[in-house]
Amino acid sequence: MRCLNHIWTAYPRSQSIAVEYGAIGKFCEKMKGIEFIDIAEETLRGLLKLSDGHANEIIRAGGIVIVMTYMDFFRMNTQRVVMRVVEALCRGLNSESVSSATPMMSRLLNLMKSSDDTLASKACESIYYIIRASAKDMESFFNNDSNKDTLSCFFAVLENEQDEQVKKLVPSVLKSLIVICEFSSLDIVNKKIVGRVSLFSRLLEVNCKNKDINIIRHVLELFDCLFKRRHDRDESEPPAKKRKRQNSSPIHDHFSNHVLTLLLELFERLHSQRSHLGVTKSLVNTVHRFVATSCPDHLTSLKCSARLTQMVSTAIWIGPCEVLISSLNILRLLLNSASSVFLAHARRCGLEEDVRSVRARSARISLKSLSSCC
């Protein structure tokens, strides 16, 4: 085993030859019947090397379950190798092979609570890859008993985000929640995720102070996804039902009262920094989605209407075409839904002249969007 590992390190192309001659099957057999710990450790290192280019073959051989079965018998350093193998294999999962990993979900959820940073972070990343691979059938994912505690574990991580060890898990947890929000049924989203919106806003507030751009970006994507699901639901409703819908949703109420002002302050701090252009784009898109899914009465009663209009006035000159289109759409929606409130703000900011200038210099932008704003 040690010789093979040395050969594969020196000549990576030789791995394919070994796979053709059944190396993966032999390695998995060795892991099923462990006689000597040192041989098992070398086998794991070999599987880690092979997982880089032959993850699908190892997955089909049942490698994820096999390498985790006797994990507790190994020393901590070897357990870290096990989790690196599992994470590498889970990264290669797809909708057809994900069933080979779901039996280990409860074990992975427990490993998220490990005091060892590597075990916890690799387990969390592995869970994200499993959820991503399950996106086409999220209903089956949540109907599986092994996965029933997934969301409660995620929310426990977010609630303890101030803990330095737990904080490292937050990006993977947020990415997983985004996938769940995007592909789960509205029933799951409304019952299990929307009810935690205050937790997401608190997370955003704390990390705005700490300037953790990565977490801020993921929280914005999560809010954007929640509003998108609301938008998709509204678009699927018949016209008569749309006209009857006048009340805002709990997420819109919470967003306008606790999050919108925070985002406008964040925009004022970040918009001039080119290094934070990605976060600025996510922020403007999230605000656009919020405005697009809000009822007119809700927009009229916004306390930060002047700052919101000022954000649009600044955002149209930032640069990226996507930010410009989102900004103009925000303005169009505000003027259409609450024109008496926002028209004065728009004129005070000089937005009418700004929009005409943009139309004159940019042929790439939709004339329909531009003309509706003038």
Side-chain angles (χ1 to χ4, degrees):
M1 293 294 179
R2 190 173 290 117
C3 288
L4 282 172
N5 285 332
H6 287 318
I7 292 171
W8 291 341
T9 300
Y11 304 101
R13 292 182 181 179
S14 64
Q15 294 176 15
S16 297
I17 299 172
V19 170
E20 287 179 14
Y21 282 90
I24 289 175
K26 296 294 184 184
F27 274 44
C28 289
E29 285 297 322
K30 285 290 182 185
M31 291 303 299
K32 284 182 181 178
I34 297 175
E35 296 179 2
F36 302 100
I37 292 295
D38 56 340
I39 294 178
E41 290 174 350
E42 288 297 333
T43 304
L44 283 168
R45 292 186 180 92
L47 287 171
L48 181 59
K49 294 180 189 300
L50 293 174
S51 66
D52 188 37
H54 304 279
N56 288 330
E57 292 92 331
I58 300 174
I59 291 169
R60 285 197 293 268
I64 295 175
V65 175
I66 289 170
V67 298
M68 292 191 71
T69 300
Y70 300 107
M71 181 176 165
D72 293 337
F73 291 98
F74 297 122
R75 296 170 296 181
M76 183 54 69
N77 284 340
T78 307
Q79 289 187 27
R80 293 176 185 138
V81 175
V82 169
M83 288 312 302
R84 281 197 286 270
V85 173
V86 171
E87 190 255 349
L89 295 178
C90 288
R91 193 185 302 124
L93 289 171
N94 54 41
S95 58
E96 295 177 357
S97 60
V98 69
S99 58
S100 64
T102 49
M104 291 290 105
M105 270 295 294
S106 57
R107 182 74 183 280
L108 290 170
L109 290 170
N110 286 330
L111 284 169
M112 281 178 59
K113 306 169 188 175
S114 172
S115 58
D116 184 83
D117 287 348
T118 301
L119 297 187
S121 61
K122 293 298 181 184
C124 199
E125 276 292 311
S126 299
I127 291 171
Y128 162 65
Y129 293 130
I130 292 172
I131 290 174
R132 187 182 66 179
S134 304
K136 292 183 178 179
D137 193 10
M138 291 304 300
E139 303 305 309
S140 297
F141 177 85
F142 282 107
N143 289 334
N144 191 318
D145 289 339
S146 300
N147 308 329
K148 62 182 180 181
D149 296 326
T150 303
L151 287 175
S152 59
C153 286
F154 285 168
F155 294 139
V157 168
L158 298 183
E159 287 167 355
N160 295 289
E161 186 259 350
Q162 291 302 300
D163 186 310
E164 282 302 317
Q165 184 178 352
V166 173
K167 189 178 180 68
K168 298 175 183 178
L169 309 181
V170 172
S172 296
V173 167
L174 289 172
K175 288 191 296 182
S176 298
L177 287 172
I178 291 167
V179 175
I180 292 170
C181 181
E182 184 173 359
F183 293 100
S184 295
S185 66
L186 280 171
D187 187 56
I188 290 176
V189 172
N190 290 332
K191 286 184 177 179
K192 299 184 177 181
I193 298 181
V194 171
R196 296 292 189 138
V197 69
S198 59
L199 177 59
F200 307 144
S201 62
R202 188 169 74 246
L203 192 65
L204 185 64
E205 182 178 4
V206 169
N207 285 281
C208 282
K209 293 177 182 176
N210 297 338
K211 299 181 179 179
D212 193 321
I213 299 300
N214 191 33
I215 292 179
I216 291 172
R217 180 168 56 84
H218 288 314
V219 175
L220 288 173
E221 289 173 1
L222 181 56
F223 271 116
D224 185 68
C225 191
L226 288 171
F227 289 131
K228 183 178 184 297
R229 294 304 302 272
R230 168 84 179 194
H231 175 73
D232 292 343
R233 191 202 71 178
D234 293 345
E235 288 299 307
S236 64
E237 289 179 345
K241 192 171 182 180
K242 287 183 184 179
R243 287 194 294 270
K244 290 180 181 178
R245 183 177 52 81
Q246 296 294 329
N247 297 327
S248 60
S249 68
I251 187 174
H252 284 78
D253 290 336
H254 183 89
F255 192 90
S256 59
N257 292 330
H258 301 283
V259 181
L260 186 56
T261 301
L262 186 66
L263 292 187
L264 295 176
E265 292 173 357
L266 183 64
F267 176 83
E268 291 166 4
R269 294 208 314 264
L270 298 182
H271 77 270
S272 60
Q273 303 178 36
R274 302 296 296 179
S275 59
H276 294 149
L277 194 57
V279 176
T280 303
K281 184 166 67 173
S282 296
L283 191 156
V284 174
N285 288 341
T286 302
V287 174
H288 173 217
R289 196 83 70 178
F290 161 73
V291 173
T293 55
S294 295
C295 60
D297 290 345
H298 196 184
L299 294 175
T300 306
S301 61
L302 285 176
K303 298 177 182 178
C304 52
S305 55
R307 292 181 76 174
L308 180 56
T309 312
Q310 184 62 51
M311 185 204 81
V312 175
S313 177
T314 304
I316 63 175
W317 297 107
I318 285 178
C321 184
E322 185 179 346
V323 174
L324 175 56
I325 292 175
S326 293
S327 303
L328 292 173
N329 279 326
I330 291 172
L331 181 60
R332 174 178 58 81
L333 291 163
L334 292 176
L335 294 177
N336 288 344
S337 301
S339 56
S340 60
V341 175
F342 287 95
L343 187 57
H345 295 315
R347 287 172 174 166
R348 195 177 300 118
C349 293
L351 267 172
E352 187 174 3
E353 186 62 33
D354 285 341
V355 171
R356 285 176 177 154
S357 298
V358 170
R359 180 168 59 182
R361 73 182 179 88
S362 179
R364 294 176 302 166
I365 307 304
S366 167
L367 289 177
K368 182 179 179 181
S369 296
L370 288 169
S371 60
S372 62
C373 294
C374 292

